[in-house]
Amino acid sequence: MLTVLALLALAAHYVRAIEYTPIEATQGLAQKIFYVHVPAAWSAFLAYGIVGVCSALFLWLGDRRLDLFAEASAEVGTVLTLIVLTTGPLWGKPIWGTWWQWEVRLTSTLFLFFLMVGYLTLRRSIFDPLVRARYSAVVGILGAMLVPFIHLSVYMFRTIHPKPVILNPEGPTLPGSMLSTLLEGVAIMTVAYLGLVMLRYGIGRLQEEKEARHAAAS
Amino acid sequence: MPSPLLHATGIRRAFGPRVVLRGLDLALAPGETLAIVGPNGAGKSTLLRILAGLIKPSAGEVTLDGVKLTPAEPGSRRTVGLLSHRSLLYDDLTVFENLVFAARLMGVADPKAAAKFALAEVDLSARADDSPRTLSRGLLQRAALARALIHKPRLLLLDEPFTGLDAVASERLQRLLRERRPAGLGTVVVTHQVAEVWDFADRVVALVGGTWALEESPGTPLDAFMRRYREVVPA
Amino acid sequence: MAALVLSALILVIFNFARDPTVIRAQDLAPSALWVTITFAATTALNRAFAVELDHGALDGLLLAPVGREAIYLGKLLGNLVFTGIVQLITIPLFVLFFNLDLHGTLPAILLLAFLATVGFTAVGTVFSALTVRVQFAELMLPVLLLPFMVPPLIGAAQVTSKLLAGRPLADSAGWLQILATYDIVFLTLSVLVFPAVLDE
């Protein structure tokens, strides 16, 4: 239910973003991709952060639901990361002239993608649900801890991405309507993310129950 | 009645939704040999690994010589020896080096002397400098037995020790176990081949579906036991 | 032995893969060196726990009256020694092949090599225990581990090129701090999560 609402809200948000917000002076129409790109990026990193937290909690508390939630979050996060990685170049080509740049945030997101794919691939190669949960939790924690280091390393390497507009030390540099649209986008995307995760988690729970009934019968 | 060497109460083990052991109690006196038989998949190996301190039970506790045995408490494992159907030996070391390594690992005072002694006890001194790769299965099991006893444990656990052994090697191993075991050593042997341990054990229990199904003492003829055994074991 | 040959081969290939008139040896050298070391470390890690699976030797370790952390540290040390030896041989080869003038920076480079290796070897030791029970272990280990090799690799390559350009080690203080922090964080985390890999 929540997911449907969130997705509708997302659609409405994009209408607003495309039609009603002013066109940015230097970048033109392409800048509108920003409204997809940034919320997706934010949600993707949030997703992986949640994988890390759930993994740590799972190793500590042993509740299988934490593992299922981590799995759901990783899958949704991978999709979000793909969105970021495709909208980035789509925006970059008209603005920078190249499809790709090895700068901080895009590179960090690329590594986030690798980490998530690694996590999910590992899950797929282990059939015992208990071992799978434990091993993915180990990878999840270590991977989540890695993200800040990747970010820091690449940042010290070079920076060419547009300076952050919200987390900018000088204060937000966006005019009012764009800022509010963006914030709204972030909020809605986060809700959509949560909705999708809950949905995927629900599926995970059903799968687990099915496996349990199957094991009990044999 | 001497206090039990090994005492296990309420042992329960589940793997996720699958319950393998359903609350078992077990007691072993010093010098006693207990055989646990049962069909494949009954949980015998799991129980043995719990007794060895390798895995934790989902519930229940194991006490060895009065000390609680838990994976988190490493010292408690010092008095346990395990002979599995796998040799636990490294192919890249000689038999002698393997035993010295094991002795060091288990904290034995003079590893080399202990290794020499252990090899002699299992009549394997002639092959001390060979790699485990070159040993036949029977000889490999004897080397593994030497490894299991090198630190003079109080409890010896045997997990399907006769697997893959021909009749001669099997008989040789049985004889070694009967004659060369230190006095007071408690032994638990797990197997699905009842006949192999019948003469060797003081007590035989059957584990079926996670609980004890049968118990037998010395003196009962094997075929009487086998008849009752076939009744309780699902075909 | 195979790891040494591999390292030497990779260095040779790097040398031939560039156009000598366009790219100076000095510019390519740091990347070449650290990529080589990375590959060599991965071969060590691939085998680290495989040997324990033959004949169930891991049980032998688990039966010992030592904590699980001791098993981890033992393996970690083994891996570090192996990688250390490979580095000790590869670095002189690298100087030779790329005709470099080290300006007496060898001790600094060795220190750097150590700092860069500890972090991802700590994680790699955990992953090698983990993947050894998983399908496609030889593929899984690099897939999981390579992202972890990137921050140390970037740091090490950057510092190496500064060193080769004659700058003092102090100039790279920022990078060295990152490397050290990385090592501490991941060593600690690895020791903490390792028992979860061995549990049944």
Side-chain angles (χ1 to χ4, degrees), chain B residues 154 183 221:
Chain B
R154 299 257 293 145

Side-chain angles (χ1 to χ4, degrees), chain A residues 1-59:
Chain A
M1 192 62 229
L2 181 68
T3 316
V4 174
L5 276 178
L7 289 173
L8 281 175
L10 206 58
H13 164 77
Y14 287 130
V15 171
R16 172 176 170 177
I18 295 174
E19 287 305 313
Y20 295 109
T21 47
I23 296 187
E24 211 262 354
T26 47
Q27 296 183 22
L29 201 58
Q31 191 265 348
K32 306 265 178 165
I33 294 182
F34 171 72
Y35 296 112
V36 176
H37 182 85
V38 175
W42 150 255
S43 296
F45 279 89
L46 175 68
Y48 203 57
I50 289 191
V51 170
V53 169
C54 285
S55 296
L57 287 176
F58 171 74
L59 284 183

Side-chain angles (χ1 to χ4, degrees), chain B residues 4 41 62 81 99 139 152 161 170 176 194 206:
Chain B
V62 179
L99 290 179
L139 293 179
K152 310 233 187 312
S170 181
L176 271 177
V194 185

Side-chain angles (χ1 to χ4, degrees), chain B residues 167-191:
Chain B
V168 171
S170 181
E171 216 246 273
R172 188 74 185 276
L173 185 63
Q174 286 187 46
R175 207 158 26 96
L176 271 177
L177 285 170
R178 260 198 307 265
E179 294 163 12
R180 299 286 173 84
R181 275 180 302 164
L185 174 72
T187 310
V188 179
V189 54
V190 149
T191 179

Side-chain angles (χ1 to χ4, degrees), chain A residues 8-152:
Chain A
L8 281 175
L10 206 58
H13 164 77
Y14 287 130
V15 171
R16 172 176 170 177
I18 295 174
E19 287 305 313
Y20 295 109
T21 47
I23 296 187
E24 211 262 354
T26 47
Q27 296 183 22
L29 201 58
Q31 191 265 348
K32 306 265 178 165
I33 294 182
F34 171 72
Y35 296 112
V36 176
H37 182 85
V38 175
W42 150 255
S43 296
F45 279 89
L46 175 68
Y48 203 57
I50 289 191
V51 170
V53 169
C54 285
S55 296
L57 287 176
F58 171 74
L59 284 183
W60 182 29
L61 299 171
D63 189 342
R64 298 274 313 280
R65 292 175 298 176
L66 286 166
D67 173 60
L68 292 173
F69 201 80
E71 178 187 45
S73 188
E75 285 191 11
V76 177
T78 309
V79 171
L80 287 169
T81 314
L82 273 173
I83 293 178
V84 177
L85 291 174
T86 44
T87 55
L90 281 177
W91 187 13
K93 184 73 171 111
I95 308 297
W96 298 327
T98 52
W99 290 109
W100 185 263
Q101 280 285 5
W102 285 108
E103 56 71 48
V104 201
R105 262 155 288 168
L106 223 44
T107 310
S108 292
T109 314
L110 183 66
F111 276 96
L112 192 69
F113 179 69
F114 290 143
L115 284 172
M116 291 218 204
V117 167
Y119 176 86
L120 291 172
T121 313
L122 180 71
R123 288 193 74 101
R124 254 172 243 282
S125 37
I126 305 178
F127 302 112
D128 183 329
L130 286 175
V131 177
R132 181 173 62 214
R134 262 210 328 273
Y135 283 14
S136 348
V138 169
V139 172
I141 294 175
L142 291 171
M145 222 32 251
L146 182 66
V147 175
F149 280 99
I150 299 245
H151 200 83
L152 190 56

